[in-house]
Structures are given as structure tokens and as C-alpha cells.
């Protein structure tokens, strides 16, 4: 019989007798692997009953969950059939089904029932959405077990601050709720250099959560806490004709732009334009001040539909008509991803400060970076007017220097045919 060798926290999680065990652990610690193993072992223990398996998005079901199930079922020599969209379940011969659903379509968590379930990355959902999805999964989880044991739901997730998983499993857990926390380093099967590469990518404050698996307040104090007006300062200015990269935020009567150059691959803020009436006025100012430069604009993606001037031409169309290269995706990255990209560019966990700001030339940008705080809902505060310039700079940084979490990879092909 081919063997599966779980790590210690995976073993504790998979064999937990509690109704609602949660493995809360760092990136790459083997959470998804544990979820798949718990699902398959539970399936074999209760042939004839169904299970549910939940990922945050359908893409994750397709690209993460199914390949893992196929690999492990094959390794364990368990015959199965994978029925993809629209059915979305794995049928194990004579042993019932495992239903797959994505949590971003909670309306589709309906019309089936199971005895047990596994939920991957629950805490990456917003607080309210996580609570809603959890209730829906609980209500699917009602098939009666022949041995009279309780229905169970297991959760595997990174800790995302003091949100649903913290409140439910850590702060005041009710009976049956058990938490198993683990650091990334508990998984010996990661490729060499994986943990080190996370230190390049993330600021120190996030690694307590993402490497150690601890709940930490991700939204306390100032938003851009890694920015230092001394340590990130530079006297670099743009050279004649140099390619300029302009992050831009649209606000009627209060548009902002932060002007950058790229030196040795790293971003440098060399100027700012704030408090501008509308997009045409902004275009005029840029053309006037930066004549002779090649200009790329990195705007707020919602400017594709927004019109600060008239109802017929969008802000993005105006920028293109002005002859600027417009670098924008169909939608903005999440605020959290944009802020993380900024914080990491100002200072990563290795103390490297890639993003420099000419503070003398960008006085408002620097002041906003120092002062903008989180509001009581854990979102960057927008009531003090300190959000516009950092948003502008952030659209450029998030587009050109995004956070790309490294793939944990498949080091352990060993044992497979
Ligand atoms: N018990 C194990 N034996 C062998 N390899 C394992 C084991 N557990 C995990 N792995 C391997 O370690 C890597 C990371 O595992 P996994 O993707 O499950 O971690 P994760 O915590 O879900 O990661 P992420 O945070 O990226 O979602 C994968 O390549 C996986 O195949
Ligand atoms: Mg995972």
C-alpha cells in the first residue's frame, strides 16, 4: 500500500475527533494537502455518505483542488471519476461523492447534502462573507452517520488578522471548535529557498501571519507603516526625456498623480501633482510640465467607466487621446494587495527599501504616506483626504511591482509512478 506521510500538524488536524477542527498555518505549510487527505480518509471511513470541499474561487477548485485529489487518489490506487462543470463532483466507486463548490458563489451552496466537509482558505473571505458561507455549509452538512457520530467540517487557512476564524476558533471557541496552528517551517517538503523568497516579497509585519501562522493585527496604526521619510528619501530627479511612470487617482476637483522614474529596475517618486480639477486639467499640467518625456499612466481602473468631465468620454479614453500609454487592467487589485505591494516596496522583511521618494519634491505624498491610518472597519481611512496621493502611487506600484506569492511547487514527486 503506497503511503502518505503527513507532517505533525497535518496529522493532528486530519485525525482530530472534534466536529470543527481548524488548521491555521503559514503559506506552504501543507494546508491544502491536509484538507485533501482529510477529505479522502473521511470518504473511505463513511462509504455511501457525501462530502463537500470548498475553495474561495472556482479557479482554485479547478487548478488546486482537483489536481491534488487526482494525484492522491491515484497514488492510493483508489478508482474515481471526476465530473467537471457543471456537475463538479468526484465520485468514488460505491463510496458516494465529494461535491466541490466555490465560496465566491454562496448562492450555489444549495441543493445537495453531505455528512462532512472541508473548507480551504476560509479566512481570506471578508468577515461577513466568511460567516455567511460558514452558515450555508453548516446547513448542507446534515446527512446522518450510521454510527451516530457528529457531522464535521474542517477548515484549513492562513490567519488573516482578527476576523471570522480568529473569533470562532481562537477568541471564544464553542465546544467542538479546535484550532491547530503551525508555521510554514513545519512542512519539510517545500522547495529550498521558499521561505527566504517570502522575505523578499512581504514586509516583516505580515510574515508573523504568513510564515508563523499567528493571528496579528494586519490593519492597526498607519497604512504605509514601512515608509520612512528619512530612510526612503532620495534626491533623484527625472532626466531630460526620461520615461515617466505616473500613478493616477481620479476624484472630481481633487485629482492626484505621483510621477516616477525607474532606476536599476526600482521605482523612484520624483514629483507629485495634487488637487487638480479634472482629467483634462491634469493632462494639460502633465503635458506642460513634462514636455519631451515618454509618459505611461497607471490609473485607477474604474476610470474606464468614470467620467470626471462629460458623459461621453471616460477618463481613461481622455488619457489615451492625450497620447499617453495607459497601463491598466480591467479591474483594480484588491486594496489589501495594493497596500501590501506598497509596504513591501518601501521595506521588505529583509530590510531592503526598493521604493524611494524624493520627499522635497513630493511633500504631500510623503505626508500622506506617514499619516494615513486604518479606520475602525480595518480599511484605509478616507475621511481625512490623506488617501488620494497614496492611492495614485499605489496604482503604479501594484501594477509594476505586484505581490506574486511563490508557488510551493511539487517537490515530492517521489513515490509516484
Ligand atoms: N505530507 C506531505 N508530504 C509530502 N508533500 C507534502 C505534504 N504536505 C504538503 N506537501 C507539499 O508541500 C507543498 C505545499 O503544500 P500545500 O500546497 O498543501 O500547502 P498550503 O499551506 O496549502 O500552501 P498555500 O499557502 O500556498 O495554499 C506542496 O507541494 C505539497 O505537495
Ligand atoms: Mg493551499
Amino acid at each position: 500500500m503506497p503511503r502518505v506521510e503527513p507532517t505533525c500538524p497535518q496529522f493532528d488536524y486530519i485525525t482530530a475527533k472534534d466536529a470543527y477542527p481548524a488548521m491555521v498555518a503559514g503559506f506552504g505549510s501543507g494546508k491544502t494537502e491536509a484538507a485533501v487527505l482529510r477529505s479522502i480518509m473521511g470518504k473511505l471511513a463513511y462509504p455511501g455518505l457525501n462530502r463537500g470541499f470548498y475553495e474561495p474561487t472556482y479557479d482554485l477548485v479547478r487548478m488546486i483542488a482537483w489536481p491534488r485529489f487526482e494525484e492522491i487518489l491515484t497514488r492510493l490506487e483508489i478508482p474515481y471519476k471526476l465530473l467537471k462543470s457543471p456537475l463538479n463532483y468526484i465520485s468514488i466507486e460505491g463510496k458516494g461523492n465529494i461535491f466541490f463548490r466555490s465560496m465566491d458563489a454562496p448562492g450555489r451552496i444549495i441543493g445537495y447534502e453531505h455528512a462532512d466537509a472541508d473548507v480551504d482558505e476560509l479566512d481570506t473571505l471578508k468577515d461577513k462573507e466568511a460567516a455567511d458561507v460558514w452558515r450555508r455549509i453548516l446547513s448542507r452538512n446534515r446527512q446522518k452517520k450510521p454510527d451516530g457520530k457528529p457531522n464535521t467540517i474542517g477548515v484549513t487557512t492562513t490567519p488573516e488578522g482578527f476576523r471570522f476564524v480568529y473569533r470562532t476558533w481562537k477568541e471564544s471557541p464553542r465546544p467542538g471548535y479546535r484550532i491547530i496552528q503551525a508555521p510554514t517551517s513545519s512542512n519539510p517538503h517545500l522547495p529550498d529557498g521558499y521561505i527566504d523568497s517570502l522575505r523578499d516579497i512581504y514586509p516583516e509585519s505580515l510574515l508573523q501571519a504568513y510564515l508563523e501562522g499567528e493571528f496579528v493585527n494586519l490593519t492597526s496604526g498607519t497604512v504605509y507603516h514601512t515608509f520612512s521619510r528619512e530612510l526612503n528619501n532620495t534626491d533623484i530627479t527625472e532626466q531630460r526625456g526620461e520615461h515617466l511612470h505616473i500613478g493616477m487617482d481620479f476624484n472630481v476637483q481633487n485629482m492626484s498623480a505621483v510621477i516616477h522614474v525607474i532606476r536599476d529596475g526600482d521605482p523612484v517618486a520624483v514629483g507629485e501633482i495634487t488637487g487638480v480639477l479634472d482629467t483634462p486639467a491634469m493632462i494639460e499640467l502633465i503635458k506642460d510640465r513634462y514636455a519631451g518625456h515618454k509618459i505611461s499612466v497607471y490609473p485607477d481602473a474604474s476610470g474606464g467607466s468614470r467620467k470626471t468631465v462629460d458623459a461621453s468620454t471616460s477618463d481613461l479614453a481622455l488619457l489615451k487621446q492625450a497620447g499617453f500609454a495607459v497601463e491598466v487592467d480591467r479591474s483594480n487589485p484588491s486594496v489589501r494587495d495594493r497596500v501590501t505591494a506598497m509596504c513591501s516596496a518601501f521595506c521588505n522583511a529583509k530590510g531592503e527599501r526598493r521604493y524611494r521618494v524624493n520627499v522635497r519634491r513630493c511633500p504631500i505624498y510623503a505626508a500622506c504616506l506617514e499619516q494615513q491610518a486604518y479606520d475602525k472597519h480595518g480599511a484605509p481611512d478616507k475621511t481625512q483626504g490623506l488617501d488620494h496621493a497614496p492611492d495614485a502611487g499605489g496604482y503604479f506600484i501594484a501594477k509594476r511591482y505586484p505581490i506574486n506569492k511563490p508557488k510551493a511547487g511539487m517537490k515530492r514527486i517521489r513515490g509516484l509512478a
Side-chain angles (χ1 to χ4, degrees):
M1 176 76 174
R3 292 186 45 166
V4 173
E5 292 166 30
T7 65
C8 290
Q10 284 176 332
F11 181 83
D12 288 349
Y13 171 72
I14 295 165
T15 58
K17 298 275 175 278
D18 315 77
Y20 306 115
M23 177 174 168
V24 175
F27 283 155
S29 54
K31 302 179 298 293
T32 303
E33 186 91 357
V36 174
L37 289 174
R38 183 177 182 276
S39 175
I40 293 172
M41 287 179 50
K43 187 87 250 20
L44 298 180
Y46 290 102
L49 295 184
N50 297 325
R51 292 187 77 91
F53 196 96
Y54 298 84
E55 287 282 354
T57 64
Y58 187 69
D59 269 358
L60 289 172
V61 168
R62 231 166 25 94
M63 284 152 55
I64 303 280
W66 284 342
R68 288 289 181 90
F69 270 91
E70 295 209 84
E71 191 219 312
I72 296 176
L73 287 168
T74 306
R75 186 146 47 103
L76 296 177
E77 297 171 16
I78 299 171
Y80 67 93
K81 262 197 220 129
L82 168 58
L83 294 106
K84 297 187 176 176
S85 178
L87 298 171
N88 298 317
Y89 65 85
I90 286 179
S91 152
I92 299 183
E93 241 173 67
K95 295 193 166 34
N97 299 326
I98 304 173
F99 294 107
F100 292 82
R101 289 290 185 277
S102 75
M103 295 185 264
D104 59 356
R108 296 193 50 223
I109 302 178
I110 188 168
Y112 56 94
E113 53 181 39
H114 44 57
D116 300 283
D118 301 278
V119 185
D120 198 21
E121 296 298 357
L122 178 63
D123 218 21
T124 61
L125 273 66
K126 289 192 180 126
D127 211 330
K128 266 198 179 141
E129 289 162 15
D132 175 44
V133 161
W134 182 252
R135 271 194 303 273
R136 284 171 188 265
I137 297 174
L138 275 172
S139 69
R140 297 294 104 214
N141 209 42
R142 63 189 182 206
Q143 274 184 330
K144 245 181 145 40
K145 292 188 173 175
D147 57 9
K149 290 203 173 146
N151 300 107
T152 73
I153 308 175
V155 168
T156 45
T157 188
T158 44
E160 302 288 337
F162 299 113
R163 302 214 270 195
F164 181 71
V165 170
Y166 175 80
R167 285 204 321 278
T168 312
W169 276 268
K170 186 91 178 174
E171 191 179 43
S172 48
R174 284 179 291 155
Y177 286 76
R178 168 167 166 218
I179 187 165
I180 294 153
Q181 285 179 266
T184 300
S185 58
S186 65
N187 180 6
H189 307 286
L190 287 168
D192 301 336
Y194 176 82
I195 289 180
D196 196 51
S197 67
L198 290 175
R199 297 193 175 281
D200 285 326
I201 295 168
Y202 287 94
E204 182 67 37
S205 56
L206 289 191
L207 289 185
Q208 198 56 24
Y210 293 155
L211 271 184
E212 301 305 326
E214 297 290 347
F215 291 100
V216 291
N217 197 335
L218 303 175
T219 56
S220 67
T222 57
V223 179
Y224 302 100
H225 58 280
T226 52
F227 171 74
S228 154
R229 103 169 21 243
E230 285 82 34
L231 299 175
N232 290 94
N233 189 29
T234 179
D235 53 14
I236 289 174
T237 56
E238 71 280 3
Q239 301 294 302
R240 185 195 298 259
E242 189 170 5
H243 187 172
L244 301 180
H245 302 268
I246 303 183
M248 192 176 291
D249 185 44
F250 303 105
N251 289 288
V252 181
Q253 311 218 344
N254 198 0
M255 288 193 57
S256 296
V258 179
I259 293 86
H260 300 85
V261 294
I262 296 178
R263 294 285 168 85
D264 299 325
D266 291 340
V268 187
V270 294
E272 65 183 20
I273 301 175
T274 58
V276 174
L277 177 66
D278 58 16
T279 306
M282 177 63 89
I283 289 170
E284 281 315 303
L285 266 168
I286 292 173
K287 284 191 153 172
D288 185 45
R289 197 180 290 183
Y290 298 109
H293 289 271
K294 178 177 179 201
I295 289 171
S296 298
V297 179
Y298 302 74
D300 175 352
S302 60
S305 53
R306 194 171 339 176
K307 290 129 186 167
T308 51
V309 193
D310 68 67
S312 59
T313 317
S314 75
D315 290 317
L316 297 192
L318 289 173
L319 293 169
K320 285 181 195 154
Q321 280 167 20
F324 302 153
V326 177
E327 305 282 341
V328 67
D329 295 322
R330 219 175 308 163
S331 59
N332 287 322
S334 71
V335 172
R336 190 180 262 198
D337 284 354
R338 170 160 54 83
V339 167
T340 303
M342 288 278 274
C343 287
S344 183
F346 286 129
C347 189
N348 69 10
K350 290 181 175 163
E352 295 161 348
R353 296 180 180 271
R354 293 189 69 188
Y355 185 11
R356 283 163 296 164
V357 175
N358 185 324
V359 171
R360 189 176 53 79
R361 287 238 195 138
C362 306
I364 293 177
Y365 187 37
C368 293
L369 288 171
E370 277 179 321
Q371 293 170 29
Q372 191 187 3
Y374 281 104
D375 67 17
K376 64 174 190 291
H377 305 294
D381 184 85
K382 289 188 164 296
T383 61
Q384 309 291 315
L386 297 167
D387 50 319
H388 307 310
D391 283 0
Y395 292 125
F396 164 62
I397 294 296
K399 176 78 179 141
R400 283 296 295 257
Y401 304 91
I403 296 287
N404 286 323
K405 186 182 145 204
K407 298 247 180 315
M410 297 289 289
K411 194 178 175 184
R412 64 97 219 256
I413 301 297
R414 65 185 167 76
L416 271 183

